[in-house]
Every structure is written in structure tokens, then in C-alpha cells.
Amino acid sequence: MLKLISLVMAVIVWGLLSLTLPHEIFPGPIETTRTLWGDIAGGEVWTDLVMTLLRVAGGLVLALILGVPVGVVMGLNRRAEAVLDVWVMIGLTVPSLCYAIMAFIWFGLNEGAAIVAIAVTAAPSITINIWEGVKNVDTKLVAMARVFEASRPAIVRRVLLPQILPYIMASARFGLGIIWKITVLVELIGRPNGVGFKLFYWYQLADMRQVLAWTLLFTIIMLLIEVLILKPIERRVFAWRPQVAV
Amino acid sequence: MNSVIEVAALRKTFKGHDGTSRAVLKNLDLTVGAGEFLCILGPSGCGKSTLLNVLAGLDKVYEGRASVSGGRVGYLFQEPRLLPWLTANGNLDFALASCKVPTSRWSELKSRYLAMAGLSEFRDYYPHQISGGMAQRLALVRALCVEPGILLMDEPFSGLDEITARRIRSDLLAIWRETRKTIVFVTHNAYEACFLADRILVMSGGAFQHEMRVPIARPRSYDDPAIFTFSRDVIKAFGDEIERDPVPSAATESGSVNNLDRHTAARMNI
């Protein structure tokens, strides 16, 4: 309920603020929604939307594949931690634009290069999250499992993984937030379609109604993914957790 | 009585961060017979847990000999150490699967030991849904259901309130009477040791200082005045011993006397 009120308030604030500027520069919510509706009814949004979502999904999967193992190794091995933490910091510092340019120049203007650029940008943040998670693993439970003669793979799968899983879920969620922002940038400089491409296209035509309509569209889609996909998964996976009453 | 645990000239040193090494176990010799209930009594920091870790195979870096025969080793920690994402039943399954107990025997073993510990109705509860005492009892069930020949227990009841701890101690003796496991029970509580053990070894500064057989007939009752008298003697004799410890290795040693005194005081109130 509170969420709904805050959402309505935000729309009202947007409406009021838009009155301070000419409406072709800062269109209000009604005008933006009407433009968005026109785009959707015209059927031209779907290709761009689907391409962007595919890149986001591909980038997220690859970022997890790159980031999770490195984080696990860093959390388990002090020597690996000492060597890799500088590189994680460097990876985190290099702007996503640099990765995108390098990927497009080296691998060509194709989907593979786009996904690599997206994943490489997001992977260091995921690594940091997992690294912290693995360091927080309860070694007393590992000792318990060893007393019961559990094999090494069994300890990893049944004692370590369940403890790291919350951190993997958290990094997937916030990784998604970072990745969608990078994806738009990557599309802007090197892809012929997608939300980022469309945003740049309308920016060049100085059509703010379309720019805001596309922003609104993608924000709604990402919220739906959060509410309809990620939250239910989380609720299911962590059903065992006690409810915290504050 | 044939022996199942044999330790000879066991030494263990820990290296500190500053490069100095500290001997935690100094030339220990120990023989435990099959079916015996042995208590190792000592202040915290005296090396009892280190000894148990060696016996359990958790710690493999030591000098001397430590051999354990007579079947699988069960271990009960100070905390329950249950996997919080599994139900009681799931936690038992984890132990049974890890120890490679044939699946056909699982349900019989689980039912038997859950019933012994009075937990039959809590199979589907998660660890956070049951009390601390029940969680520790469940950990005991988990240790028993893999049918160990030897049970190592590291101050398993010290984190529980006294009423609960008393009940579980009696349960433990009943279970021991029925199953006749060899038990090595580590504690800093003299009364507990006197109630449970056949034999008490007092440990301090990484070495056994005294050995004493408990001359009280079984079955024992927790409120038996003989246990109280005997425990007072134990504390009197060994409390001095600890005080006159020739190598006070750390600050914990001096604190340990207070620890024992506090426990005597606590016992007086019963």
C-alpha cells in the first residue's frame, strides 16, 4: 500500500516538475504514457525490447560465470585473495565505456562482443559480493561435516553452497541493475537495435517524449522482473529462514 | 576390557602470530577401554578440545601416537551445529548419507534415537523453530544415529540452562546404559563429571594432572549427596593443583580457578 502511494506521489511530482519547462523538453506523465502507448500499439517496441533483454540475460549469465568462481577462490584461499584483490579493484575502476570500446574493436560489432563487454563490467561487483559471502561461511559447520566423514564434494554442495547461495542471489539481483545500465550504453555505441540504440536515436532527434517513453518502458519491465521472477525465487529458496520481526 | 583409544606421547604445539610456539598438549598418554565413560575435567584453554580434535581426526598435525579403533567416531560439539536450512529429519539424513549408512536402515535408526531423545514429534521442524536444549538433543540424536563406537563430547551442555542440562545429562546416561558406547566427555564442570563418569582425568596446562575413579554406583541420581561430596573433594584436590600449576601458560589459567570456584558456588545453590 505504501509502495503504491509513493508511486502515485512520484508521478504527481513528475507532473508538477514538467510544468516548469516547455513540454517538448520535459513532457509530463500523461504525454509520456500516451507516446509509449502509441509505440506499443504500433508494434515497433518488441524487437528492441527483446534484443535488450536477451543481452541483459546473456550478460548476467556470463558475469556470474566469471564473477562467482573468482569470488569463491578469493574467499577460500588467502594467497589468491592477495593476488586478485588488486585486479578486482582495477576491474571495478575501469569505466564500462572502455570495456565496450575494446570489445567492439577487438571482437567486432557483434552480439558476442556486446555480451562480453557487459559481463566484464559487471563481474567485479559480483566477485566482491561472493568473496565477502565465502569469507562469512561458518567453518564450524564444515568441521561438523568432516566429523561425519562427508566427502569434499558433499561438503561443497550441501554445506558451503547453501551458505553462499544468499550472496549469489543478492549479486544476481544487484548485478541485474548494473547490467541493464551497461547494456544501454553498449547498445548506444555498437548495436543497431535495442533500448539504448532507440534512446540515442531519439536523443539525436531531440524528441524528449520518446526518450522518456523508452525510459519508462524499461523501468516498468525491470520492476516486473523483480516482482514476478526474482522475489518468488528468493522466497522459495530461503523458505527455511526465520522471519525477523523488528 | 580391551582398549579402543590409545594415545602415547602426544604433543601438539601452536605457532602464534608473533612466531613464538606454545605447547598445548605435552606428552599425553591415554587409554580408554571399550564401553567406558571417561570425563576429562579442566579449565578452558587447558587443551581438552585440542585433544578431542586429534581423536576425531579433525586435527592431523601432531607428534606422538593417537589411535582410535572400535568403529566410527561420533562428535558432539559445544553448539548443536545443525544445518539451519534442513529440518531435523534433513539434518539426520545428512549425517546418515555422509557416513554412508545404507538407506534401508535410515528410518529405523532415526525413529529409534529420536524417540530416545523425546524428539519424535519434531522431525519436520527447522533448527530455529526448536529450543536450544532441543537443538542440542537433536545434535546428540544425529551423533548417535550413525551408530558410532566412540562418542566424543566437547562441553556439550555448557551452553544450556541448568534445568535443561540436568535433564539431558540424565538422558545421556540412560542412552549410554542402553547402547554402551565408549564416551570421552570433556567438561569444566566438576559436578557434571562426577555424575557422568566412570573415571575422571583432570587436565591442566596441556597435561593430565590426576586420575580418579568415581566410586558411585549406577544408576545414579543427579541429586545424590554422594556425588556432591565427591565433586567437592575433586574440586578441593584439583583446584589447588591448578593454582599451583608450574607453567601458567596464559591468562586463562589464572581465570580458570575462578571458573571452578564459580561452579562450586553454583552447585552449592542446588
Side-chain angles (χ1 to χ4, degrees), chain B:
Chain B
M1 194 155 57
N2 53 329
S3 58
V4 289
I5 295 176
E6 287 196 54
V7 172
L10 177 67
R11 297 170 60 83
K12 165 98 193 159
T13 39
F14 278 129
K15 276 227 162 60
H17 285 294
D18 49 356
T20 56
S21 59
R22 195 168 66 87
V24 268
L25 299 178
K26 299 169 187 163
N27 269 322
L28 290 187
D29 295 307
L30 171 68
T31 310
V32 185
E36 189 180 0
F37 199 132
L38 171 75
C39 274
I40 297 176
L41 177 66
S44 39
C46 75
K48 327 177 280 244
S49 302
T50 313
L51 174 61
L52 278 199
N53 284 341
V54 169
L55 293 179
L58 282 175
D59 191 341
K60 294 194 170 87
V61 187
Y62 56 84
E63 297 162 59
R65 203 167 62 83
S67 78
V68 175
S69 52
R72 183 175 287 138
V73 173
Y75 199 127
L76 196 60
F77 297 91
Q78 207 164 338
E79 325 81 26
R81 301 203 189 180
L82 300 163
L83 299 176
W85 50 88
L86 297 179
T87 58
N89 195 45
N91 269 286
L92 298 182
D93 286 349
F94 172 78
L96 290 162
S98 298
C99 285
K100 299 188 181 62
V101 175
T103 331
S104 53
R105 303 201 49 220
W106 287 15
S107 82
E108 169 223 327
L109 287 168
K110 285 189 288 187
S111 309
R112 174 161 171 227
Y113 290 107
L114 280 170
M116 261 189 207
L119 288 172
S120 301
E121 281 126 62
F122 297 93
R123 272 168 180 270
D124 299 322
Y125 283 62
Y126 284 98
H128 70 87
Q129 294 171 319
I130 59 181
S131 70
M134 284 159 82
Q136 193 59 307
R137 282 217 300 270
L138 180 59
L140 178 61
V141 171
R142 181 179 61 182
L144 288 169
C145 76
V146 298
E147 305 209 289
I150 299 158
L151 202 52
L152 306 176
M153 307 177 90
D154 187 2
E155 306 196 7
F157 311 136
S158 63
L160 302 176
D161 65 273
E162 190 47 34
I163 310 266
T164 310
R166 279 175 77 154
R167 197 173 309 143
I168 304 185
R169 282 181 203 121
S170 301
D171 289 350
L172 175 65
L173 275 193
I175 290 170
W176 176 69
R177 207 163 42 231
E178 216 170 301
T179 59
R180 283 291 157 181
K181 313 258 178 226
T182 310
I183 297 183
V184 178
F185 189 106
V186 156
T187 179
H188 59 241
N189 180 335
Y191 196 92
E192 181 177 49
C194 295
F195 173 61
L196 294 173
D198 292 324
R199 180 163 60 117
I200 296 174
L201 278 170
V202 175
M203 192 175 185
S204 157
F208 295 130
Q209 308 289 353
H210 274 278
E211 180 177 30
M212 193 172 246
R213 297 214 157 265
V214 183
I216 298 161
R218 296 183 192 271
R220 295 172 187 166
S221 132
Y222 201 76
D223 299 314
D224 188 342
I227 297 176
F228 182 71
T229 315
F230 187 69
S231 76
R232 209 173 41 193
D233 294 346
V234 169
I235 292 163
K236 218 179 269 170
F238 307 145
D240 289 353
E241 189 63 41
I242 292 162
E243 210 164 25
R244 281 190 276 105
D245 192 344
V247 248
S249 54
T252 48
E253 293 291 341
S254 56
S256 63
V257 180
N258 292 332
N259 218 355
L260 276 178
D261 285 348
R262 215 174 322 122
H263 280 278
T264 335
R267 288 294 92 69
M268 297 292 192
N269 286 336
I270 300 173

Side-chain angles (χ1 to χ4, degrees), chain A residues 104-136:
Chain A
F104 284 132
I105 299 284
W106 292 344
F107 307 127
L109 289 168
N110 54 49
E111 291 308 327
I115 287 173
V116 166
I118 294 163
V120 169
T121 313
S125 325
I126 289 173
T127 295
I128 288 185
N129 226 345
I130 302 292
W131 173 22
E132 282 302 319
V134 174
K135 275 204 286 195
N136 284 336

Side-chain angles (χ1 to χ4, degrees), chain A residues 43-118:
Chain A
E44 51 187 302
V45 296
W46 300 117
T47 326
D48 294 300
L49 197 59
V50 167
M51 285 313 291
T52 299
L53 285 174
L54 283 176
R55 286 174 197 131
V56 166
L60 180 64
V61 169
L62 188 60
L64 286 171
I65 290 173
L66 293 173
V68 172
V70 177
V72 169
V73 168
M74 287 176 74
L76 292 179
N77 187 318
R78 208 168 287 177
R79 210 169 289 167
E81 185 178 10
V83 175
L84 288 170
D85 78 345
V86 180
W87 291 105
V88 171
M89 277 340 224
I90 292 173
L92 208 58
T93 316
V94 174
S96 51
L97 187 58
C98 302
Y99 291 125
I101 292 170
M102 284 189 270
F104 284 132
I105 299 284
W106 292 344
F107 307 127
L109 289 168
N110 54 49
E111 291 308 327
I115 287 173
V116 166
I118 294 163

Side-chain angles (χ1 to χ4, degrees), chain A residues 51-220:
Chain A
M51 285 313 291
T52 299
L53 285 174
L54 283 176
R55 286 174 197 131
V56 166
L60 180 64
V61 169
L62 188 60
L64 286 171
I65 290 173
L66 293 173
V68 172
V70 177
V72 169
V73 168
M74 287 176 74
L76 292 179
N77 187 318
R78 208 168 287 177
R79 210 169 289 167
E81 185 178 10
V83 175
L84 288 170
D85 78 345
V86 180
W87 291 105
V88 171
M89 277 340 224
I90 292 173
L92 208 58
T93 316
V94 174
S96 51
L97 187 58
C98 302
Y99 291 125
I101 292 170
M102 284 189 270
F104 284 132
I105 299 284
W106 292 344
F107 307 127
L109 289 168
N110 54 49
E111 291 308 327
I115 287 173
V116 166
I118 294 163
V120 169
T121 313
S125 325
I126 289 173
T127 295
I128 288 185
N129 226 345
I130 302 292
W131 173 22
E132 282 302 319
V134 174
K135 275 204 286 195
N136 284 336
V137 158
D138 188 351
T139 48
K140 289 181 165 184
L141 291 178
V142 178
M144 179 278 295
R146 281 178 54 203
V147 165
F148 284 101
E149 300 163 26
S151 63
R152 204 171 251 271
I155 291 179
V156 170
R157 197 168 47 82
R158 302 196 61 183
V159 180
L160 293 179
L161 199 61
Q163 292 187 67
I164 304 172
L165 207 57
Y167 294 92
I168 295 181
M169 272 304 293
S171 33
R173 268 171 91 170
F174 99 142
L176 203 64
I178 305 176
I179 278 170
W180 127 250
K181 293 175 190 171
I182 308 162
T183 304
V184 172
L185 188 77
V186 167
E187 286 172 343
L188 182 153
I189 67 169
R191 300 310 306 141
N193 51 33
V195 176
F197 170 81
K198 273 289 192 287
L199 279 171
F200 191 57
Y201 173 79
W202 292 116
Y203 162 69
Q204 284 174 317
L205 296 181
D207 188 334
M208 279 307 282
R209 273 175 312 169
Q210 287 287 3
V211 169
L212 286 187
W214 280 91
T215 309
L216 183 64
L217 174 66
F218 214 80
T219 308
I220 291 169

